[in-house]
Amino acid sequence: MTDIPRVSPTDDATTPSLRAYLGLYATGLVEREQMIATVASWPFEAEEEVDEGHTEPTHQDNTMLVVAAARLLGQLTREDVEEIQRRIDRADLTGGKGRRS
């Protein structure tokens, strides 16, 4: 297996998108604990309004919609998403990183 370095969501332009990062996890290139910690601390942006008349996605790549889509695609398990959510909620309560917008 290829050794993929830990990716921090606060890194500069070398950081992959959230979608790409979850793809790395889905292919086994990122360990589960590392993925959960990284995604829970990801700087999520607020969701954009959905325009049903527009067929192409217009939302950012770093929203909770991406996490939900990864779950639907089978890239994340229900347990993965629940643990990510638990850590985000815990960080919100303690004032740490991993906040939702």
Side-chain angles (χ1 to χ4, degrees):
M1 182 184 316
T2 305
D3 189 33
I4 301 294
R6 184 181 190 295
V7 177
S8 170
T10 59
D11 288 347
D12 60 7
T14 62
T15 302
S17 67
L18 179 58
R19 186 175 284 111
Y21 186 77
L22 291 172
L24 291 174
Y25 170 68
T27 60
L29 296 175
V30 175
E31 297 292 327
R32 181 177 189 267
E33 180 58 34
Q34 177 184 332
M35 178 279 297
I36 289 173
T38 300
V39 174
S41 65
W42 203 275
F44 292 106
E45 293 184 18
E47 309 285 345
E48 288 184 2
E49 294 296 318
V50 176
D51 179 1
E52 294 181 17
H54 190 72
T55 58
E56 295 297 319
T58 59
H59 64 277
Q60 300 96 331
D61 186 48
N62 56 341
T63 65
M64 288 304 289
L65 284 175
V66 174
V67 173
R71 171 66 184 113
L72 290 173
L73 293 171
Q75 294 176 321
L76 295 174
T77 65
R78 179 178 47 83
E79 292 80 11
D80 292 338
V81 175
E82 288 173 353
E83 182 59 24
I84 290 166
Q85 189 62 55
R86 258 192 299 279
R87 292 187 191 193
I88 289 171
D89 291 345
R90 189 176 328 135
D92 283 348
L93 290 174
T94 62
K97 287 183 156 186
R99 60 180 166 66
R100 286 174 288 178
S101 295

